[in-house]
Amino acid sequence: MVESKQSTQKKATAAPANFPCGSAAAKKHIRHAFRNSNDARTTITNFQQSNSLHSMFAKAFGTTPVHELPQKKDLEKNQGMPVAEPLDPSPALDFLSHLGVSRHEVHSRVASALRSAIEDEIQRMPIAPLTTTPDGVAKTLPTPGEAGHRALLNLLKSAWQFRDVPELRPVLVTVLKRLGDHTPVPMLRRLGTKQNKTTGLKNAELVSQLGPHLQRLVWEADWDAKLELVTKSDGGQGLSEEELTLTGSTILADLLRESVDKYLTDTELAQSADLAFVGTVSERRFATKLRRMGAKVSEGAGHTREKISTLASIGVTKAQSSTGNEKEKKTNPSTAVAVTTIKESIGKRPKLLGAILDMLISEHATKGGGLDYIKTLSMKKKKEKLQDGTKAGSISILGGSTNLSCPLVADILLTFGQLPRSYEVLDIMARILDAAVQSGFISDNSIAQIQGCLRTIFRPSQAEQSQSIQSSSKDKVEGTKIKLSLKPTKASTSSSMFPDLPVDDSQFERKLLQRVLKKAIASMKEHDPQGLFLNQVTDAIAPGYFSIIDKPICIRAMEEKVMSSTYKSIDEYKDDTLLLFSNCCKYNTGAAGQWFRTEAGRQKKIWKEEIFSEAKSKFKADMAKRKNSLKRKPKPPPPLAFAPGKSDKPTSLATESRAKEAKEDKAINNLTAEDVKPLPPWKYKRRKTEIVVPSMQCLAAMLLADPFVVRVLMDRIQKILKVDVLKTKSVPAGHHALPSIFQLLNIARISTQLCALKGKRCYIPDAGLRNVLTDGEEFNPSYESTRNCLPLFSKLLLDAELDRRMAIGGDLHEAALQDILTKPELQIKEWDGTSTLYDLRAVVEGALVYLLQPGNTNEAALQAQFPRFEAALDELSGGNMLNERPFFVSMAHALLRFKSKLPHSTRDLVTGCMIKWLKKEEIATPKTAICSPLHECFMHLLNEWSSLGNLVLPRDLFLSLGEEAVAASSRGAIGQKCQRFAKLWASDDDCFSAVKEQYTRMLSGTPDTRALQWKETIGIADESAPASPPGDEKQDDP
């Protein structure tokens, strides 16, 4: 009965009649209060307290208003603590129900209000700013915000347990957003915890609400955690380096794997990369901006696409378009979309930039074969494999589409924006190379600037200098490691890192003498149009010459002495020149030698009055100028990219470092063609704790291994050899830029090995000007290529040119018919032992492709020219031409330019050579030959020829060549079934899919009956395709 009375009273209290609402009721109530009161002031005060909105809500909730203070006895009872008011929500809920508000809505609004109040309070919480100590560690200074920081951390610890409660998760998100960069690393790593290696994050819903900045912090923390485990040295607890690759389990790998794969598998980009040799400048140019055009489009699109790509990486959202809209899909290539997605995902975070670049380093090492090369059992076995040619075919400078991770590195660097200071030299190098690729030509200035970048990037730190591996050589060349000091050391004065910078008077005199004599030798060649004194005389040309002449000499031998700095004074050069003319007069006596004596006297007079006098006066004038400059106060040398800057005023380490690097960048841009000098060979090894991620040396080598950069460098080499070397009759190694370009190509070649080592070992290969041997090697490949075998290639070009002139239509054809001139013999033994000269192999391949371009030769001359190049490539490759995709793609591109005018003799030469290379049984297994790029490119070329009509390639010959290719690659006989080929055809093996596609294309254009016959001959079962009725058979074109 009591409970019913109490409930009745509560309901009466909550009734609307007990609340005087409205203007009329309020006026009536105030008039009634004034009638019953004698004190108007007290009446107004009491009315305000009892009828205010606050009092009415307190009355509805059944609580005491705040202005009604508790009695003194209540305070004494609670020992001074405030009285806790009992709260019964039933009256309030009844009151709100009269207003039409449901209880669910009340609960939602109260929770939302409380959550908003908590979030506002969190946002107002002060946080101490982060400061960086001199040792680079971020710390929080003791400020008033430190207490707020601790409070947020405590709240974060308490709220973490409610991360799976949707109503309370926003509070946790607010705390994390407020902490921002102050979020503890353990918490970031906990947010990045994955359920397992193949599934998404455990806290995917929570991470999806954090925003791009905090998400990137989570990616960074996850990457750092994996990096620490990989670099651990306390046995057994670390992870393998595969965790840091695109196939690893890092969140960043999951985020970017799809975009990187989209870039690396872009068909248009891969086709362009495989064209290593093209005929014109317009074809050589490549619009690299098209690969990155999506980056500019996306800048104004906000963070929508960024958010989509980030959420998709952790499995929160379903697959959505990363391009934003359908219009962008149509206008932007997939490479641009991929670069844009990568750029937006990593943002402006340097650590994420380093992480994706390090992943691409691993990708390049894996696809380029560097990882397999490093894992070879021992150096001895590795060298044996290289020398017998079994490994030679797997190493190539022309990476083509295999090296597409290299242009992706360049695109990321060029679209990132303001790079960190440690990347700026790399950025300069990337921009120089990008400009060369866009213009289709690389100048001497660009080469000098690239070398300046490499000197800066590859120079060791002070700790690494003591670990540099000293090289031993037969020439007793000491100190091949890079020197950072401009002063000569006691150990060596001739091994300076900077050969163009004089360290003493003797070095300056030697350089000056070399420069003056090179010009004098060139003038002597110009005044000897018949080449009378150019080459060494042999007994075949002049019988009994060596019995009369004790000291033979020629201009080419003198040029070799100049290049090797054998001449110590200008008088030694004078003596050799006088001996040259004296030998001519001594041998050519009598009436028969009158013309030779006269010609020798003419050239001697010109040399004595013009060439030698000018060289001597120039040498004396420059030496006098040098001596006068030494008498004056020496000026500081200009800032070089490879020389550390000095400051007279004491400055901090950071300021001094920034000033030095600024001078270096400016100096690199000021390098010109006169500064083109090969880098000295150099190696060093880092400790495991000193390895920096990513390795700048690996990235620099990858920029050079870009297939579009290699294409420009190869074209420059071809032009130098054909224009500067052959026409001027000079030594190839004597060209001012040729050794440097070969060195850049060799750095590109070893890029996969450098990337496999991940910066643990770095080295610069020798330019080949001197026979410097390292690591106990018996020969120097660079020296063999540049000094010994490049002249063989020059001879190959001369023989090919002579073949063209002696063929039908040539100016020497009549002389050849009358046996006045004989064709040069095919030299094969000259190329023995050249299977490890990968740079020279690429040069010969390029020369052959240029020779096959329409208009560069004729059908008759090619019959003699092609076998010369074929024989050279057989030796240079060790017989293994299976994996030379860029060469075959470029050759097919050149041959298809003939269209229907292709000579049949040229077609037969090419097809016969390619089938012969497929037949090499000792170089690879049958499956490797069947699935090789050579096989694929051969069938692609036949299909393209067949599409031009029967005039180029008749149908029967097409099928016959296809049958020969199957037999050659399967190591079988023509006309017999090839079980290996048939087994691969039925297995749907991925490595065979490209070859099968070409054969399927061949059979699709063949009449059904003839196609079935071809399949039966090969041994391919085809039960699904019914035979065509006799009356419906397709006929071959006439």
Side-chain angles (χ1 to χ4, degrees):
M1 189 71 180
V2 175
E3 292 179 358
S4 62
K5 287 184 178 180
Q6 291 178 351
S7 60
T8 303
Q9 291 177 357
K10 289 180 181 179
K11 290 181 180 179
T13 304
N18 296 326
F19 298 91
C21 300
S23 58
K27 290 178 181 179
K28 182 178 179 182
H29 188 66
I30 191 64
R31 284 197 298 269
H32 180 73
F34 276 119
R35 290 194 196 101
N36 299 329
S37 175
N38 296 325
D39 187 359
R41 183 183 297 273
T42 304
T43 301
I44 294 174
T45 301
N46 293 333
F47 182 83
Q48 290 177 343
Q49 292 180 358
S50 59
N51 294 281
S52 64
L53 183 61
H54 176 70
S55 299
M56 288 186 178
F57 271 103
K59 186 177 181 181
F61 277 88
T63 60
T64 304
V66 176
H67 56 261
E68 296 182 8
L69 299 178
Q71 300 295 327
K72 183 177 180 181
K73 60 180 180 178
D74 296 330
L75 291 176
E76 293 177 355
K77 183 179 180 181
N78 291 278
Q79 298 179 355
M81 299 296 295
V83 180
E85 301 181 30
L87 176 61
D88 185 5
S90 299
L93 293 176
D94 292 340
F95 171 72
L96 292 174
S97 64
H98 287 295
L99 301 178
V101 182
S102 65
R103 293 198 174 188
H104 176 74
E105 186 175 357
V106 171
H107 292 162
S108 300
R109 290 189 180 185
V110 171
S112 178
L114 291 174
R115 188 168 59 246
S116 298
I118 294 174
E119 291 175 357
D120 292 342
E121 187 67 23
I122 292 172
Q123 291 295 341
R124 289 193 296 268
M125 191 76 69
I127 298 180
L130 285 176
T131 58
T132 304
T133 59
D135 56 353
V137 180
K139 291 186 177 181
T140 304
L141 294 181
T143 61
E146 187 176 0
H149 187 200
R150 288 196 301 268
L152 286 175
L153 292 179
N154 293 331
L155 181 58
L156 176 63
K157 184 178 180 180
S158 303
W160 177 253
Q161 56 184 328
F162 302 108
R163 61 188 179 278
D164 296 327
V165 181
E167 291 81 9
L168 297 180
R169 188 183 298 135
V171 177
L172 180 59
V173 172
T174 304
V175 175
L176 290 171
K177 287 184 177 180
R178 179 56 183 154
L179 285 172
D181 293 332
H182 298 74
T183 305
V185 174
M187 176 58 65
L188 294 174
R189 293 183 178 181
R190 184 175 295 182
L191 289 170
T193 304
K194 301 179 70 173
Q195 296 178 2
N196 53 60
K197 290 186 177 181
T198 58
T199 57
L201 302 180
K202 288 184 178 180
N203 304 297
E205 292 290 340
L206 175 61
V207 176
S208 65
Q209 302 175 21
L210 295 181
H213 179 69
L214 266 176
Q215 287 174 355
R216 293 185 182 115
L217 292 180
V218 174
W219 314 153
E220 289 182 2
D222 176 71
W223 171 263
D224 287 340
K226 298 293 193 302
L227 186 62
E228 289 177 5
L229 292 176
V230 169
T231 56
K232 261 187 176 182
S233 57
D234 47 347
Q237 299 182 5
L239 297 177
S240 64
E241 291 189 356
E242 294 181 358
E243 291 293 328
L244 301 182
T245 64
L246 286 168
T247 59
S249 60
T250 59
I251 304 175
L252 193 63
D254 297 339
L255 173 68
L256 301 178
R257 187 180 296 118
E258 182 180 356
S259 299
V260 174
D261 290 343
K262 185 184 297 184
Y263 186 100
L264 299 182
T265 57
D266 183 76
T267 305
E268 184 178 354
L269 184 63
Q271 293 175 352
S272 301
D274 283 332
L275 278 177
F277 310 104
V278 290
T280 61
V281 179
S282 59
E283 290 178 307
R284 198 176 310 113
R285 292 182 185 136
F286 188 80
T288 57
K289 292 182 180 179
L290 292 178
R291 301 194 311 237
R292 307 186 291 266
M293 62 181 295
K296 294 184 178 179
V297 176
S298 65
E299 289 178 358
H303 299 287
T304 305
R305 286 164 43 188
E306 179 181 24
K307 183 177 180 181
I308 290 175
S309 62
T310 306
L311 296 182
S313 69
I314 57 176
V316 177
T317 60
K318 296 182 179 180
Q320 302 185 41
S321 172
S322 62
T323 57
N325 51 52
E326 295 296 329
K327 182 179 179 181
E328 209 170 317
K329 273 186 179 180
K330 297 179 181 179
T331 57
N332 291 349
S334 59
T335 53
V337 175
V339 173
T340 301
T341 305
I342 294 173
K343 176 178 178 292
E344 292 179 344
S345 299
I346 63 178
K348 297 297 182 181
R349 305 295 299 181
K351 190 170 291 185
L352 293 182
L353 172 65
I356 180 60
L357 292 178
D358 190 69
M359 291 181 183
L360 292 177
I361 288 174
S362 302
E363 183 77 9
H364 182 56
T366 304
K367 289 193 173 182
L371 197 60
D372 297 335
Y373 182 81
I374 295 299
K375 290 181 178 179
T376 308
L377 295 178
S378 65
M379 178 63 70
K380 182 178 180 181
K381 293 185 178 181
K382 184 190 304 182
K383 191 165 73 172
E384 289 174 356
K385 288 187 176 183
L386 290 176
Q387 290 177 348
D388 64 13
T390 57
K391 190 71 178 176
S394 63
I395 301 176
S396 176
I397 290 179
L398 309 176
S401 56
T402 307
N403 290 353
L404 283 182
S405 54
C406 300
L408 180 56
V409 167
D411 290 342
I412 292 175
L413 291 174
L414 294 174
T415 57
F416 185 80
Q418 184 65 36
L419 287 165
R421 187 65 196 174
S422 57
Y423 289 86
E424 288 196 2
V425 177
L426 199 68
D427 180 46
I428 293 174
M429 182 176 173
R431 295 186 184 280
I432 294 171
L433 293 174
D434 187 66
V437 171
Q438 292 189 44
S439 63
F441 177 77
I442 186 166
S443 63
D444 290 345
N445 290 352
S446 299
I447 294 173
Q449 292 169 7
I450 292 169
Q451 289 178 325
C453 294
L454 292 175
R455 288 186 178 102
T456 305
I457 293 171
F458 277 84
R459 68 181 181 185
S461 63
Q462 296 295 332
E464 292 165 348
Q465 290 186 44
S466 59
Q467 304 173 30
S468 299
I469 302 176
Q470 298 291 340
S471 303
S472 60
S473 69
K474 295 181 180 179
D475 298 344
K476 295 183 180 181
V477 179
E478 300 178 356
T480 56
K481 66 178 181 180
I482 292 180
K483 302 291 184 181
L484 297 184
S485 176
L486 298 180
K487 297 180 180 180
T489 60
K490 296 180 180 180
S492 173
T493 58
S494 62
S495 61
S496 174
M497 171 65 184
F498 328 113
D500 55 340
L501 188 65
V503 296
D504 55 16
D505 288 335
S506 61
Q507 186 178 2
F508 175 82
E509 183 178 359
R510 180 176 61 84
K511 289 290 182 182
L512 176 61
L513 180 63
Q514 187 183 49
R515 185 167 60 250
V516 170
L517 293 185
K518 283 175 64 176
K519 186 177 180 181
I521 293 291
S523 299
M524 291 177 66
K525 291 180 182 179
E526 293 178 1
H527 291 89
D528 185 17
Q530 293 85 7
L532 182 63
F533 302 101
L534 181 61
N535 296 310
Q536 186 66 51
V537 180
T538 62
D539 287 331
I541 300 175
Y545 183 82
F546 293 99
S547 62
I548 301 173
I549 304 301
D550 297 331
K551 296 181 180 180
I553 192 69
C554 65
I555 295 179
R556 199 171 293 280
M558 295 169 62
E559 187 177 19
E560 286 284 348
K561 286 187 175 183
V562 171
M563 294 307 303
S564 60
S565 299
T566 305
Y567 291 126
K568 303 303 180 184
S569 66
I570 199 170
D571 290 333
E572 294 182 6
Y573 159 73
K574 176 183 177 181
D575 295 339
D576 276 354
T577 309
L578 293 177
L579 178 63
L580 178 75
F581 298 123
S582 175
N583 288 344
C584 179
C585 297
K586 185 177 180 180
Y587 178 80
N588 296 284
T589 58
Q594 179 62 38
W595 182 86
F596 294 97
R597 294 195 303 273
T598 304
E599 180 65 17
R602 182 189 69 84
Q603 293 191 31
K604 181 179 178 180
K605 182 179 179 182
I606 296 175
W607 173 82
K608 188 174 182 180
E609 295 178 354
E610 298 179 10
I611 300 175
F612 182 69
S613 60
E614 181 182 353
K616 190 173 182 179
S617 59
K618 173 68 174 174
F619 181 74
K620 288 184 177 181
D622 288 353
M623 284 301 299
K625 186 177 179 181
R626 168 69 173 178
K627 291 179 181 179
N628 293 332
S629 63
L630 291 177
K631 292 179 182 180
R632 298 191 298 267
K633 184 178 180 180
K635 296 181 179 179
L640 299 174
F642 37 79
K646 296 183 179 180
S647 176
D648 296 334
K649 299 180 180 180
T651 56
S652 64
L653 293 177
T655 305
E656 184 179 354
S657 176
R658 285 193 296 269
K660 179 183 69 174
E661 292 171 349
K663 289 182 179 179
E664 291 175 355
D665 296 346
K666 184 178 180 181
I668 290 173
N669 295 327
N670 293 335
L671 294 175
T672 61
E674 298 179 356
D675 301 309
V676 176
K677 294 292 180 182
L679 305 176
W682 170 63
K683 297 184 179 182
Y684 72 89
K685 181 180 179 180
R686 285 194 178 108
R687 297 188 182 94
K688 194 171 184 179
T689 56
E690 296 173 348
I691 298 174
V692 180
V693 177
S695 171
M696 295 299 163
Q697 293 83 7
C698 295
L699 295 175
M702 288 182 68
L703 291 178
L704 290 175
D706 185 339
F708 303 102
V709 173
V710 173
R711 180 164 70 184
V712 175
L713 292 174
M714 294 301 304
D715 178 75
R716 181 69 195 281
I717 289 177
Q718 297 289 341
K719 288 184 176 179
I720 289 175
L721 291 172
K722 293 178 181 178
V723 178
D724 297 341
V725 174
L726 293 184
K727 289 189 177 181
T728 59
K729 305 174 184 178
S730 59
V731 179
H735 193 273
H736 69 282
L738 194 60
S740 298
I741 299 177
F742 267 96
Q743 189 178 43
L744 296 181
L745 284 176
N746 280 307
I747 294 176
R749 176 181 61 83
I750 65 172
S751 62
T752 56
Q753 302 171 31
L754 291 176
C755 291
L757 292 170
K758 283 290 193 75
K760 300 171 187 175
R761 293 184 181 181
C762 294
Y763 58 98
I764 297 178
D766 184 26
L769 295 180
R770 293 179 295 176
N771 194 14
V772 180
L773 303 180
T774 58
D775 295 335
E777 295 180 349
E778 298 178 0
F779 74 104
N780 183 351
S782 299
Y783 181 82
E784 293 293 326
S785 177
T786 306
R787 297 301 295 267
N788 295 341
C789 293
L790 261 185
L792 286 180
F793 176 70
S794 300
K795 182 178 180 298
L796 178 64
L797 294 180
L798 289 174
D799 291 346
E801 177 64 17
L802 189 59
D803 290 335
R804 185 189 65 81
R805 296 178 64 184
M806 294 175 63
I808 299 175
D811 57 342
L812 299 179
H813 180 62
E814 294 295 331
L817 292 178
Q818 299 176 12
D819 294 333
I820 299 176
L821 292 176
T822 59
K823 290 185 178 180
E825 296 182 0
L826 181 62
Q827 301 293 339
I828 300 178
K829 294 184 178 180
E830 294 178 350
W831 297 95
D832 286 346
T834 59
S835 60
T836 57
L837 306 183
Y838 315 111
D839 49 359
L840 191 59
R841 184 206 310 173
V843 172
V844 175
E845 290 175 348
L848 179 57
V849 172
Y850 288 131
L851 188 67
L852 293 175
Q853 296 281 351
N856 290 348
T857 187
N858 54 60
E859 181 180 359
L862 195 61
Q863 300 300 313
Q865 294 170 334
F866 193 88
R868 300 184 189 277
F869 287 90
E870 180 183 349
L873 288 176
D874 279 337
E875 295 297 329
L876 286 167
S877 64
N880 188 356
M881 294 290 291
L882 296 177
N883 297 317
E884 296 294 310
R885 176 186 292 275
F887 166 58
F888 293 118
V889 171
S890 302
M891 185 171 65
H893 179 74
L895 292 171
L896 291 174
R897 293 184 64 185
F898 283 96
K899 297 184 179 179
S900 59
K901 298 180 180 180
L902 176 71
H904 288 185
S905 60
T906 303
R907 177 200 66 194
D908 296 339
L909 276 174
V910 173
T911 53
C913 177
M914 296 179 77
I915 289 177
K916 187 192 78 171
W917 282 332
L918 276 175
K919 283 184 179 179
K920 296 282 185 178
E921 298 183 2
E922 66 278 2
I923 60 172
T925 61
K927 181 179 179 181
T928 303
I930 293 173
C931 304
S932 64
L934 169 58
H935 197 179
E936 176 193 351
C937 293
F938 177 71
M939 293 307 302
H940 169 74
L941 182 60
L942 295 183
N943 277 308
E944 293 297 325
W945 276 342
S946 178
S947 65
L948 297 175
N950 284 345
L951 185 61
V952 177
L953 186 66
R955 179 78 60 187
D956 291 339
L957 179 59
F958 185 15
L959 295 174
S960 176
L961 289 174
E963 187 176 346
E964 288 186 33
V966 172
S969 60
S970 303
R971 312 294 189 255
I974 301 176
Q976 297 181 359
K977 294 184 178 181
C978 302
Q979 296 180 358
R980 297 186 180 96
F981 188 88
K983 185 177 180 181
L984 284 172
W985 186 282
S987 65
D988 293 332
D989 196 336
D990 291 338
C991 68
F992 181 68
S993 59
V995 178
K996 183 177 180 180
E997 181 181 354
Q998 296 300 328
Y999 278 100
T1000 304
R1001 180 183 173 188
M1002 177 189 73
L1003 296 174
S1004 64
T1006 305
D1008 294 342
T1009 304
R1010 185 70 180 88
L1012 287 175
Q1013 292 176 358
W1014 188 90
K1015 288 184 176 181
E1016 290 176 359
T1017 304
I1018 301 300
I1020 301 174
D1022 191 4
E1023 301 177 356
S1024 60
S1028 302
D1032 296 340
E1033 291 185 3
K1034 297 181 182 178
Q1035 301 295 329
D1036 289 350
D1037 296 333

